[in-house]
Amino acid sequence: MVIGVIMLVLLGFVLMFYWANQLDYQTLYTNLASEDAAAIIGKLKENDIPYKLEGEGSIVKVPVERVYETRLALASEGLPKGDSVGFEVFDNTTFSTTEFVQKLNYQRALQGELARTICQFEEVDHARVMLVMPEESLFVEDAKPPSASVLLKLRAKLRQDKVAGVVHLVSSAVEGLEPHQVTVVDTTGAILYKQDSDEEEAMAKMQTEYQRKLEQRYHTQIQSMLERIVGEGKAIVRVSADVDFNQVDLKEESYDPEMSAVRSEQHKAESSKKERDEAPGSTEVESGSENQEKNLASLTQKSDKIVNYEISRVEKRVSKPFGEIKRLSVASVVDGIYKTVTADDGTESVEYQNRSEAELQQIEELVKKAMGYDANREDQVQVTCMRFSITAEDIFPKERNWLVYGRPYIRPILNLILVLLIFFFVVRPFLKAFRQMAQPPEPEEEDGIPELPEPEEAEGLPDIAKMSLRERVIMIANNYPEKTENWVRGWINEVEKNV
């Protein structure tokens, strides 16, 4: 048993040492093509880097401490290239390449670069882009727009905004490509993006999506507020929005004749004077007067005044916004109050009580404030208290178990307990047995001597206190001959060793 325990302990130490010094491999690349995997393994062998292959050769792993170093080294070599060809196709061009081949290579390179760029999304595992680029025509009516198709292999669900990002990425990289000419599908055949050519249908979808987002926004605001008041899961909110998507431009002109202002004023005055001529050779003289009579004259004056008035005019141009809310309807149901009632016999039960009208009125006022209630729009709000179909555990949830808080410490504690068990039940017995084997216990004079009954407890026995040492030895030898023989043999062996 001792040898077996020793072998098990040694084997455990060897396995522990082997496990502690074993290389920890981490994934270098996944989903590699056969050509890329072969090229990468060749580079790893040249640099004496240990590696492991998994996934039928599509996954390459290297030691964890050399992952980033190896990736940088392989990137400098242009690996992995992937199954798509990028603009590196033009690295080795010759003068004999025709224009058709150059255009074809450019299309291949553009498809490959777009696929590599799309693969940078975390949710995309693999991407493939197909471009259709018609030849240019001298006539506008004969020109055809380019189009594109994108196939995605997804690791996780791709959100709609990221799908729109993929579409705009492809359409912006190709000259003349519009977003509605791009189609995105996944490997399951689901269409992720396809813009309808019918403008009316596309507009209807856009309006429906806008209305849904508007209702969701109001729902989130009201739901979060009520759950903070009545408790989580104890409020249900539904919002219905009536949205007017008609765009109306209104131009209005009004005149007020009572209000006028002088716009311009013009004054014009004319005057003319004409003198009479005397007859030649005739004069008239008045005697006895100092003044002489002047020639008779005619005087003409003319005055004009023009005033322009401006009548008050008001010109108004009103443009209704897109998606104007005509009416909001909010229906909210809140749960009541649950209390624990103890009966006379000591049993506990849950009692339900409806909320008071005053409390419901306060909740209704809060909902109106949160939604922006407008009486002119004839908004409707209703708050009702009803009992929810829930269990007692939902009403009074149990306290979290201590295992929930101590879960991060379970493994260290178990490891400590395991070490202590190994020490007490393996290491310690092994050391004790080893010491006993190395140093055998010497026989002691009093070891193994049976205790004789006391004189007062034994009847018919001689009084030991009155016996001499020789009489005691003779009595023990007669009563215990086998043990006496072993003692004598041990004394003889000791004497022989000393001699």
Side-chain angles (χ1 to χ4, degrees):
M1 291 179 63
V2 174
I3 295 175
V5 171
I6 294 174
M7 295 300 295
L8 290 176
V9 172
L10 293 177
L11 180 61
F13 277 109
V14 170
L15 293 176
M16 185 179 298
F17 181 79
Y18 174 76
W19 176 77
N21 292 277
Q22 191 177 9
L23 292 177
D24 186 12
Y25 286 88
Q26 187 174 351
T27 303
L28 182 66
Y29 292 109
T30 59
N31 297 327
L32 289 173
S34 301
E35 297 80 4
D36 288 337
I40 290 174
I41 291 173
K43 292 294 181 181
L44 295 178
K45 289 182 178 179
E46 291 179 4
N47 299 325
D48 295 331
I49 299 176
Y51 66 90
K52 290 175 63 177
L53 290 178
E54 294 181 359
E56 298 180 356
S58 62
I59 301 176
V60 179
K61 292 186 175 182
V62 296
V64 63
E65 64 273 5
R66 306 193 65 176
V67 171
Y68 301 106
E69 177 186 355
T70 307
R71 284 181 182 173
L72 294 176
L74 293 176
S76 63
E77 300 290 338
L79 295 174
K81 297 180 180 180
D83 56 355
S84 58
V85 180
F87 283 107
E88 65 272 6
V89 71
F90 295 103
D91 294 341
N92 299 320
T93 57
T94 59
F95 292 101
S96 60
T97 306
T98 61
E99 183 180 0
F100 173 77
V101 176
Q102 290 284 15
K103 290 183 178 180
L104 185 61
N105 288 337
Y106 174 75
Q107 183 175 347
R108 292 177 58 200
L110 189 57
Q111 292 177 165
E113 293 294 336
L114 286 174
R116 293 175 182 176
T117 305
I118 296 173
C119 287
Q120 299 301 317
F121 287 88
E122 296 180 358
E123 297 84 356
V124 179
D125 186 22
H126 182 73
R128 187 174 180 85
V129 181
M130 285 75 71
L131 298 177
V132 178
M133 305 175 66
E135 296 182 359
E136 298 181 357
S137 177
L138 298 176
F139 303 98
V140 178
E141 58 272 9
D142 295 338
K144 296 181 179 179
S147 60
S149 300
V150 182
L151 178 65
L152 300 178
K153 182 181 180 181
L154 302 177
R155 298 189 184 98
K157 185 178 180 180
L158 195 64
R159 298 200 311 267
Q160 195 64 30
D161 55 346
K162 291 191 176 182
V163 175
V166 172
V167 172
H168 285 80
L169 177 68
V170 175
S171 62
S172 301
V174 181
E175 183 180 1
L177 181 61
E178 298 295 333
H180 65 271
Q181 298 291 340
V182 180
T183 302
V184 182
V185 297
D186 60 4
T187 52
T188 62
I191 299 177
L192 303 179
Y193 182 89
K194 181 181 179 182
Q195 188 169 354
D196 299 323
S197 59
D198 190 358
E199 295 183 359
E200 294 183 358
E201 185 176 356
M203 181 62 69
K205 289 184 178 180
M206 183 182 64
Q207 292 175 357
T208 304
E209 183 67 19
Y210 177 81
Q211 182 177 358
R212 187 187 64 81
K213 290 183 178 180
L214 184 64
E215 294 174 350
Q216 182 65 28
R217 180 168 64 89
Y218 281 104
H219 170 268
T220 304
Q221 292 178 355
I222 300 173
Q223 181 84 21
S224 60
M225 181 187 66
L226 292 182
E227 286 187 348
R228 295 295 298 271
I229 297 174
V230 300
E232 185 177 358
K234 293 186 178 182
I236 302 174
V237 178
R238 294 294 181 266
V239 180
S240 178
D242 187 4
V243 184
D244 185 10
F245 293 100
N246 296 325
Q247 290 183 331
V248 179
D249 292 336
L250 179 61
K251 184 177 181 182
E252 181 182 354
E253 292 184 4
S254 59
Y255 296 89
D256 189 0
E258 299 296 333
M259 298 179 62
S260 61
V262 177
R263 180 179 183 182
S264 62
E265 186 175 353
Q266 183 179 2
H267 294 273
K268 183 177 182 183
E270 297 180 359
S271 62
S272 62
K273 184 178 180 182
K274 183 178 182 182
E275 297 182 353
R276 289 184 180 180
D277 296 334
E278 296 180 355
S282 63
T283 58
E284 294 182 358
V285 180
E286 292 184 0
S287 57
S289 175
E290 296 178 357
N291 297 326
Q292 296 179 357
E293 185 179 359
K294 296 181 179 180
N295 295 332
L296 297 176
S298 63
L299 181 61
T300 305
Q301 293 183 352
K302 185 178 180 182
S303 177
D304 293 334
K305 183 179 181 181
I306 300 175
V307 180
N308 294 325
Y309 293 92
E310 188 71 31
I311 301 175
S312 178
R313 182 185 68 171
V314 178
E315 182 176 353
K316 184 186 297 184
R317 185 181 183 90
V318 180
S319 179
K320 296 179 63 177
F322 175 79
E324 182 182 9
I325 299 176
K326 295 174 61 177
R327 184 174 59 186
L328 282 176
S329 300
V330 178
S332 177
V333 181
V334 295
D335 198 6
I337 302 173
Y338 296 88
K339 294 184 178 180
T340 304
V341 180
T342 304
D344 297 337
D345 55 355
T347 59
E348 295 183 352
S349 61
V350 178
E351 182 180 352
Y352 173 80
Q353 294 179 359
N354 285 322
R355 300 181 184 272
S356 62
E357 293 294 333
E359 187 176 0
L360 293 178
Q361 187 65 28
Q362 291 179 356
I363 295 176
E364 184 176 347
E365 292 296 329
L366 291 176
V367 173
K368 288 182 178 180
K369 296 294 183 182
M371 63 177 286
Y373 179 83
D374 188 357
N376 297 328
R377 292 187 313 201
E378 299 181 356
D379 292 346
Q380 298 179 358
V381 178
Q382 185 175 0
V383 178
T384 307
C385 180
M386 298 182 66
R387 182 171 183 175
F388 286 9
S389 177
I390 54 180
T391 61
E393 294 183 358
D394 297 331
I395 301 171
F396 302 103
K398 296 182 179 179
E399 296 183 358
R400 298 182 64 183
N401 197 348
W402 63 273
L403 291 176
V404 177
Y405 299 99
R407 184 173 298 173
Y409 308 100
I410 291 178
R411 293 189 62 183
I413 294 174
L414 291 178
N415 292 332
L416 180 60
I417 294 174
L418 181 61
V419 171
L420 293 176
L421 291 176
I422 293 175
F423 177 77
F424 284 106
F425 293 97
V426 177
V427 178
R428 189 177 178 183
F430 169 74
L431 294 176
K432 186 176 180 180
F434 183 77
R435 289 175 182 175
Q436 291 178 355
M437 293 176 61
Q439 299 179 358
E442 296 180 358
E444 297 182 358
E445 185 178 355
E446 298 179 357
D447 187 18
I449 299 177
E451 296 181 357
L452 297 177
E454 296 295 332
E456 59 273 14
E457 295 180 359
E459 296 180 355
L461 293 178
D463 189 1
I464 299 177
K466 298 179 180 181
M467 296 175 62
S468 63
L469 180 61
R470 184 171 179 275
E471 293 175 350
R472 292 182 183 179
V473 171
I474 294 173
M475 184 186 67
I476 293 174
N478 293 329
N479 295 327
Y480 304 98
E482 295 180 358
K483 290 186 177 182
T484 304
E485 182 181 359
N486 293 333
W487 292 338
V488 173
R489 291 180 182 274
W491 294 337
I492 295 173
N493 292 333
E494 288 182 2
V495 172
E496 291 177 354
K497 289 180 181 179
N498 295 329
V499 174

